[in-house]
């Protein structure tokens, strides 16, 4: 094993901090340039904070032109999809009745934890438009409950009992598009549990539409390593009780 002297170690830390500072300065500069550009196109951008602009930049590898196109598209989507600035539970009754999404606790990086039960999704009980509103409602709730200084959330998707009646390719693709294009750099990690073999048929259709950054955040968890894998990122006191943790599940609309 190779040991480094204190001087060498300090030098490495200084270099890392120097690189981090340089990256931050580059990002800040690009945020200023992008803000100036998009404000000329849409005056409502003045109400948006720099963190949001930075997320869109990061989603497009700091390419101002690509990030601006995505951001302006998002503003247009928001005006048409969330015209009142929020989505009321009365607009998504069928989706909420399925009781499939919960939110409580934080992981070891202080990122909120969102729990989804795939087998409770019943596409035949609602419409695609209502489901899209439900996705937006959910992401708005998650973002509103972000701890100070945090921008990302962690999700646990449990597919136990999932079957063809739950399969919803159009819904999955719509949800993916909303997440990637309208809430970029919000997902920190996605654990997928209890994956049935038949789910892979749907996964093969959806996978090509997942961008490379999002793909790196997805973890398929083996049943025999379920608790140990989750505990690697989530303290037992914050883990849902259904996986041996301490927290009871709370439906997202009830919190």
């Amino acid at each position: 094993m190779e040991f480094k002297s204190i001087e060498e170690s300090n030098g490495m830390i200084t270099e890392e901090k120097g690189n981090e500072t340089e990256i931050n300065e580059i990002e800040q500069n690009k945020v200023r340039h992008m803000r100036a550009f998009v404000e000329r196109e849409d005056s409502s951008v003045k109400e948006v904070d720099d963190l949001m602009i930075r997320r869109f930049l990061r989603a497009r590898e700091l390419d101002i032109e690509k990030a601006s196109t995505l951001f302006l598209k998002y503003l247009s989507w928001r005006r048409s999809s969330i015209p009142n600035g929020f989505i009321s539970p009365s607009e998504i009754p069928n989706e909420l009745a399925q009781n499939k999404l919960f939110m409580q606790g934080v992981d070891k990086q202080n990122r909120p934890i969102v729990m989804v039960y795939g087998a409770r999704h019943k596409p035949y009980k609602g419409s695609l438009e209502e489901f899209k509103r439900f996705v937006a409602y959910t992401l708005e709730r998650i973002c509103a409950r972000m701890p100070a200084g945090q921008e990302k959330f962690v999700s646990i998707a449990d597919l136990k009992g999932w079957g063809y009646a739950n399969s919803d390719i159009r819904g999955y693709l719509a949800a993916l598009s909303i997440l990637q294009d309208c809430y970029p750099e919000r997902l920190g990690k996605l654990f997928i549990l209890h994956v049935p073999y038949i789910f892979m048929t749907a996964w093969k259709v959806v996978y090509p539409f997942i961008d490379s950054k999002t793909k790196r955040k997805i973890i398929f968890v083996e049943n025999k390593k379920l608790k140990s894998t989750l505990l690697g990122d989530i303290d037992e006191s914050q883990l849902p009780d259904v996986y041996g943790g301490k927290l009871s599940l709370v439906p997202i609309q009830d919190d």
Side-chain angles (χ1 to χ4, degrees), residues 25-239:
E25 288 176 354
I26 290 171
E27 284 190 338
Q28 288 169 9
N29 187 46
K30 295 216 173 213
V31 165
R32 284 194 295 271
H33 280 81
M34 177 170 159
R35 177 178 286 283
F37 174 76
V38 291
E39 279 187 3
R40 288 197 297 269
E41 301 293 320
D42 190 324
S43 60
S44 69
V45 176
K46 293 176 182 178
E47 301 170 13
V48 173
D49 63 27
D50 286 350
L51 292 177
M52 177 175 280
I53 292 177
R54 187 178 70 176
R55 287 193 295 273
F56 278 82
L57 273 167
R58 286 178 172 177
R60 290 296 179 266
E61 307 293 345
L62 302 185
D63 184 309
I64 293 175
E65 185 177 349
K66 290 180 180 178
S68 296
T69 299
L70 183 65
F71 186 63
L72 291 170
K73 180 182 174 185
Y74 155 74
L75 292 177
S76 176
W77 168 84
R78 190 173 183 86
R79 274 191 287 269
S80 62
S81 300
I82 315 179
N84 299 320
F86 66 93
I87 292 173
S88 168
S90 63
E91 298 178 67
I92 48 174
N94 295 304
E95 295 297 328
L96 293 179
Q98 293 168 34
N99 208 34
K100 57 191 171 186
L101 202 142
F102 305 81
M103 182 178 179
Q104 70 285 303
V106 293
D107 76 348
K108 293 177 181 178
Q109 295 184 45
N110 205 35
R111 299 178 295 193
I113 300 168
V114 178
M115 178 78 212
V116 184
Y117 282 108
R120 295 186 185 180
H121 178 56
K122 308 281 195 307
Y124 53 86
K125 288 194 173 182
S127 66
L128 179 61
E129 288 308 309
E130 183 180 348
F131 179 65
K132 286 157 69 172
R133 287 196 298 273
F134 173 70
V135 172
Y137 168 87
T138 297
L139 289 166
E140 287 289 298
R141 296 276 290 183
I142 294 169
C143 293
R145 290 183 50 203
M146 287 284 178
Q150 185 54 257
E151 297 181 70
K152 297 179 185 290
F153 69 94
V154 170
S155 184
I156 300 173
D158 194 326
L159 301 182
K160 190 173 185 178
W162 186 96
Y164 286 123
N166 311 113
S167 184
D168 184 11
I169 300 299
R170 290 195 308 157
Y172 299 155
L173 291 176
L176 181 65
S177 175
I178 292 170
L179 175 67
Q180 293 184 159
D181 298 342
C182 303
Y183 299 84
E185 294 298 300
R186 283 299 198 178
L187 178 66
K189 188 173 286 189
L190 169 60
F191 296 97
I192 304 181
L193 320 180
H194 300 129
V195 182
Y197 181 74
I198 56 172
F199 174 76
M200 300 315 294
T201 304
W203 181 252
K204 287 176 182 176
V205 178
V206 175
Y207 188 78
F209 296 92
I210 306 175
D211 66 39
S212 57
K213 283 194 170 189
T214 303
K215 285 176 181 174
R216 292 194 292 270
K217 300 171 183 176
I218 299 172
I219 298 172
F220 283 88
V221 182
E222 294 180 51
N223 290 346
K224 61 183 179 181
K225 296 181 179 178
L226 194 155
K227 188 174 181 181
S228 62
T229 300
L230 294 178
L231 286 175
D233 284 72
I234 305 167
D235 189 80
E236 189 173 5
S237 66
Q238 300 295 306
L239 191 66

